Amino acid sequence: MKAIIRVLIVFLLFNALIIPAKLWAQQNVQLTLNLDKADRKVSPMLFGLMTEEINHSYDGGLYAELIRNRTFQDDNQKPVFWQLTDSTSKSAITLDRNEPLNKYLKVSLKFEANKDGTLPGLENLGYWGFPIRAATLYKGSFYAKSIKGGGALRIGLRAKDGKHYYAKTTVHSIGTDWQKYTFELKTAQDITRTAEAVFVITPSQPDTYWFNLVSVFPPTYNNRPNGNRPDIMQLLLEMKPTFLRLPGGNYLEGGNFANRFAWKHTIGPLENRKGHKGTWGYRASDGMGLLEYLEWCEDLHIEPVLAVFAGYTLGGDHLEGDLLTPFIKEALEEIEYVTGDIHTKWGAVRAKNGHPKPFPLHYVEIGNEDFFDRSGSYKQRFAQFYTAIKAKYPALQIISTFGKQFDIAGGTAEIEDEHYYRNAEQMEADATHYDNYDRNGTKVFVGEWATREGSPTTNFNAALGDAAWMTGMERNADIVVMSCYAPLFVNVNPGGMQWESDLIGYNTLNSYGSPSYYAQKMFNTYLGNRVVPIEAKGVPLKAQTLSKKDSIAGKTPNQIPAVFYVATKDTASGAVFLKLVNTIGKSQKVSIQLEGKAKINNTAKTVVLKANSPLDTNSIDDPLNIVPVEKEIKGIKKNFTYTMPPYSIQVVQIQTR
Ligand code: AHR
């Protein structure tokens, strides 16, 4: 037995150390780019964004609302995230279902500020505190009433330790009937940024008060009311995406029918949005509703890829036949809400909600991940939705979430959504995935993909896997018409994450991009409209790590490429973007030959993202540890040599004339 184990250890060491070392020690990688044969078109929507309410993407994330549990529905028993400023006081806060604000917001907060003559305040803990910044205007509102009426409420953003206020104001004369009160809070010039703060409402006289829809917003991107966090929007803008897939993901489906993304409940005044359970373990306020998603697209100058609920929930329930009719109608109305002019029924509703101009829409996806529907009902459900949508909107491209090219009376799915979540080596091993796809077959939307290494956001090894995978999508960007990474966001505060290895992280005050974020930013930014064919020689290989089971079984590891490459050309400017990925810890020389009639400028631009170790990463405390560095290099001609640093992702931008 001992002898077998010894042999096994020697074998594993050989695979882990000796094979890779031998494979790395060899001549230059040789890449020949045929610039005159750049015929394959690059889809103009190749790289986009995917979103859903997960990891506190909206509530406690992009959606800038600061009050947590603003309608008191996050918990059935108690007003979570709310407390009295004095825990010893006999005053009380309770949930009250007998004093609804309206038919949507049926639970109010009852504040009996009179029990023992003390007058404590009511405080909200926010989403892991409040972002207090100097010279900043916070706009707020709430609905309130009291038994006696006439009293004032002092409002403020206060230090968590209770020592001082960052901003305060007073709302006078609270009435005895529900009424909306608004206020503004402005911080001073000289305060230090902090998240260690709470929002406080303190009554001026003993009374019993009720509150609902308590809201505070900091400045938002483009100053949109009910808008988004500017820092996160800036990170997204810099990625130069072309679309936003919304609203999910599993969040579209919900755990059951009642908790699907029911878009009609997410539009109009916030007072009319009851919110819903969400899919990822916390309640969604629906402050980020359908119109807010669309305005988010508008602010990024991109278009939505709209996923419509298709009669299947995560819990496995589904509807067929006539039972689907209301949901098909709901989907058609949703498309009209997005695209209809103000003379259409739902276009008029959108106008009433504040946006008369229709939004552009070219792609509609039917459902999400319906390959999980073991009943096999998707083909039929898809056909019903497809037929109805095409009848009314023949120009829309319809995306199926499962299966290639269904035969449907009158047409077929134009695009199929494929999802890939893997480790870096698996991504690298499969980077040629689309190389042999039928060029005339169903187009592909890689609607969710990610290399899942690193937490909460990805590490550099994930970025290497991502970059390798992106070379494959880009090389095949005639059939891979769209792609988007998932999940996009994570709130890195304790309890903020449900899904590890995300693209962009944030806390209450700050946000940052992972190495994968920067790799995507580079791929999106430096992209031509034609794929340049590349002939490669001398690409080094590395041994793919064996699974425990396979190493015990003594299997030989697969050899996978250690270097990845792709090039595109912008036919208008003559720029050629060569992307190179070196996944190993040794620099690699690349001999590059540019074939074709064009002349080549002597100078090129390089953009390099690299790390000392694959485990290196960015974090909320070290957000810019790994960022792309731009440089100019000289000596570029038809044949030149470029050296890739160890563990690196780079673009070499060559100018042709
Ligand atoms: O991205 C996280 C989840 O992964 C999505 O909600 C779902 O579509 C997929 O399974």
Side-chain angles (χ1 to χ4, degrees):
M1 188 61 186
K2 269 190 184 162
I4 297 175
I5 292 173
R6 230 177 282 133
V7 170
L8 199 62
I9 291 170
V10 171
F11 177 71
L12 291 176
L13 277 176
F14 179 79
N15 284 331
L17 303 169
I18 301 168
I19 290 184
K22 256 190 11 199
L23 289 166
W24 294 358
Q26 36 74 61
Q27 83 288 22
N28 291 5
V29 181
Q30 293 162 49
L31 300 180
T32 305
L33 279 65
N34 196 333
L35 300 178
D36 289 346
K37 289 253 164 67
D39 301 327
R40 185 178 284 180
K41 284 193 179 143
V42 175
S43 163
M45 287 179 66
L46 180 58
F47 295 117
L49 303 172
M50 188 269 171
T51 183
E52 67 174 315
E53 181 58 292
I54 184 174
N55 299 329
H56 288 273
S57 287
Y58 316 141
D59 292 347
L62 180 69
Y63 178 55
E65 172 67 85
L66 299 181
I67 301 291
R68 191 162 186 181
N69 193 15
R70 67 184 179 185
T71 60
F72 309 105
Q73 298 175 87
D74 283 10
D75 185 277
N76 280 334
Q77 307 296 322
K78 39 183 200 310
V80 288
F81 309 112
W82 292 88
Q83 63 189 27
L84 292 177
T85 52
D86 175 2
S87 57
T88 64
S89 159
K90 290 215 165 50
S91 293
I93 51 170
T94 46
L95 298 180
D96 191 346
R97 292 184 173 78
N98 296 318
E99 299 289 342
L101 175 66
N102 59 28
K103 65 176 178 181
Y104 306 103
L105 302 183
K106 293 182 181 165
V107 188
S108 300
L109 183 76
K110 183 177 184 183
F111 179 19
E112 293 166 277
N114 58 356
K115 288 216 158 160
D116 56 358
T118 60
L119 271 184
L122 171 67
E123 64 186 36
N124 183 261
L125 304 177
Y127 291 97
W128 296 273
F130 283 76
I132 304 296
R133 297 186 175 88
T136 301
L137 184 67
Y138 299 79
K139 293 184 181 173
S141 62
F142 53 79
Y143 282 85
K145 65 176 182 173
S146 76
I147 291 177
K148 287 194 241 162
L153 294 172
R154 286 192 297 277
I155 312 292
L157 286 166
R158 200 204 63 204
K160 206 171 169 185
D161 61 13
K163 290 203 175 126
H164 60 277
Y165 276 83
Y166 295 107
K168 54 185 173 183
T169 186
T170 303
V171 171
H172 297 281
S173 305
I174 301 303
T176 53
D177 291 321
W178 281 121
Q179 200 183 313
K180 185 174 184 175
Y181 299 89
T182 59
F183 58 88
E184 290 187 347
L185 292 163
K186 177 101 194 255
T187 52
Q189 194 80 49
D190 58 351
I191 59 164
T192 311
R193 279 157 49 100
T194 179
E196 295 293 306
V198 293
F199 170 74
V200 186
I201 304 178
T202 313
S204 65
Q205 63 178 40
D207 201 344
T208 296
Y209 299 86
W210 285 268
F211 293 93
N212 213 322
L213 191 56
V214 186
S215 173
V216 176
F217 272 81
T220 58
Y221 188 77
N222 274 350
N223 293 319
R224 279 206 195 266
N226 202 42
N228 293 336
R229 255 176 79 160
D231 58 331
I232 303 177
M233 285 296 280
Q234 191 55 39
L235 281 168
L236 296 179
L237 266 178
E238 287 172 15
M239 281 180 81
K240 299 200 192 313
T242 54
F243 66 87
L244 179 67
R245 174 178 177 234
L246 64 92
N250 293 154
Y251 184 62
L252 169 74
E253 301 155 82
N256 54 40
F257 280 90
N259 288 311
R260 71 188 193 281
F261 182 79
W263 70 272
K264 286 184 193 169
H265 297 168
T266 73
I267 56 170
L270 295 181
E271 292 80 344
N272 298 358
R273 302 188 199 180
K274 60 183 173 145
H276 72 289
K277 193 169 170 225
T279 304
W280 292 98
Y282 59 95
R283 200 178 159 78
S285 73
D286 285 340
M288 175 67 80
L290 181 57
L291 184 59
E292 285 76 19
Y293 278 111
L294 298 170
E295 289 177 338
W296 171 9
C297 293
E298 187 167 77
D299 282 344
L300 294 179
H301 317 293
I302 61 178
E303 64 177 79
V305 170
L306 182 68
V308 296
F309 178 73
Y312 169 77
T313 73
L314 260 188
D317 296 335
H318 75 274
L319 295 171
E320 289 179 42
D322 290 348
L323 294 175
L324 268 187
T325 308
F327 295 97
I328 294 171
K329 183 166 174 275
E330 192 176 280
L332 291 172
E333 290 168 337
E334 186 173 10
I335 296 169
E336 187 173 285
Y337 184 88
V338 178
T339 62
D341 68 34
I342 55 168
H343 306 295
T344 61
K345 178 175 169 199
W346 288 100
V349 175
R350 187 197 60 240
K352 194 167 154 221
N353 295 160
H355 203 287
K357 195 169 161 215
F359 293 90
L361 183 72
H362 295 96
Y363 298 92
V364 169
E365 177 160 16
I366 299 177
N368 175 63
E369 292 193 339
D370 290 85
F371 42 82
F372 283 117
D373 175 6
R374 304 278 176 240
S375 75
S377 71
Y378 186 59
K379 188 169 178 179
Q380 184 55 39
R381 288 187 288 113
F382 179 85
Q384 285 179 254
F385 275 86
Y386 180 96
T387 310
I389 295 173
K390 276 284 181 185
K392 188 156 181 211
Y393 300 100
L396 283 178
Q397 299 270 296
I398 310 294
I399 303 167
S400 90
T401 71
F402 173 41
K404 290 196 193 312
Q405 216 146 352
F406 292 132
D407 286 328
I408 295 144
T412 53
E414 285 96 357
I415 302 170
E416 185 203 0
D417 181 359
E418 299 181 355
H419 294 179
Y420 300 98
Y421 292 105
R422 296 157 162 179
N423 68 29
E425 285 183 355
Q426 289 165 336
M427 282 302 212
E428 290 158 14
D430 199 26
T432 54
H433 187 95
Y434 294 107
D435 287 4
N436 299 315
Y437 261 48
D438 174 4
R439 296 348 265 186
N440 301 312
T442 314
K443 301 275 189 233
V444 176
F445 172 28
V446 187
E448 290 180 33
W449 67 272
T451 305
R452 297 195 66 195
E453 294 190 23
S455 178
T457 46
T458 56
N459 60 25
F460 197 74
N461 209 39
L464 290 169
D466 290 342
W469 177 249
M470 283 191 285
T471 62
M473 293 198 292
E474 189 169 309
R475 184 167 49 251
N476 294 286
D478 55 337
I479 47 172
V480 179
V481 287
M482 294 185 291
S483 69
C484 45
Y485 183 100
L488 181 60
F489 294 142
V490 62
N491 187 316
V492 302
N493 276 304
M497 177 177 73
Q498 292 81 48
W499 182 285
E500 291 188 314
S501 306
D502 304 296
L503 199 67
I504 291 174
Y506 41 79
N507 61 13
T508 311
L509 276 173
N510 301 313
S511 51
Y512 70 98
S514 61
S516 297
Y517 163 87
Y518 286 108
Q520 277 190 53
K521 184 175 161 183
M522 286 163 63
F523 270 71
N524 299 2
T525 307
Y526 301 97
L527 183 64
N529 58 343
R530 292 285 186 281
V531 179
V532 178
I534 299 181
E535 207 180 293
K537 282 190 196 145
V539 172
L541 299 176
K542 63 179 183 181
Q544 187 170 9
T545 311
L546 283 174
S547 68
K548 219 173 177 180
K549 199 172 130 223
D550 286 348
S551 42
I552 290 168
K555 288 209 176 148
T556 313
N558 284 335
Q559 298 301 312
I560 61 172
V563 165
F564 298 85
Y565 50 84
V566 68
T568 58
K569 177 178 169 182
D570 180 35
T571 48
S573 68
V576 173
F577 306 106
L578 172 61
K579 287 160 184 163
L580 300 167
V581 185
N582 180 13
T583 67
I584 52 180
K586 183 178 182 294
S587 63
Q588 297 282 329
K589 283 197 169 147
V590 190
S591 303
I592 296 160
Q593 176 151 0
L594 303 169
E595 275 184 358
K597 292 187 282 297
K599 294 206 164 64
I600 312 290
N601 281 8
N602 179 264
T603 312
K605 174 179 169 182
T606 60
V607 187
V608 181
L609 188 69
K610 64 184 169 106
N612 295 326
S613 147
L615 299 182
D616 284 358
T617 195
N618 295 338
S619 67
I620 198 76
D621 298 321
D622 194 3
L624 302 176
N625 182 38
I626 299 171
V627 291
V629 174
E630 293 184 14
K631 224 169 85 179
E632 231 186 49
I633 54 170
K634 295 208 182 303
I636 307 302
K637 45 187 190 209
K638 292 247 164 164
N639 288 293
F640 68 99
T641 302
Y642 173 82
T643 304
M644 294 189 286
Y647 304 123
S648 62
I649 300 163
Q650 48 254 290
V651 182
V652 183
Q653 181 179 340
I654 301 153
Q655 190 58 47
T656 68
R657 335 177 228 121

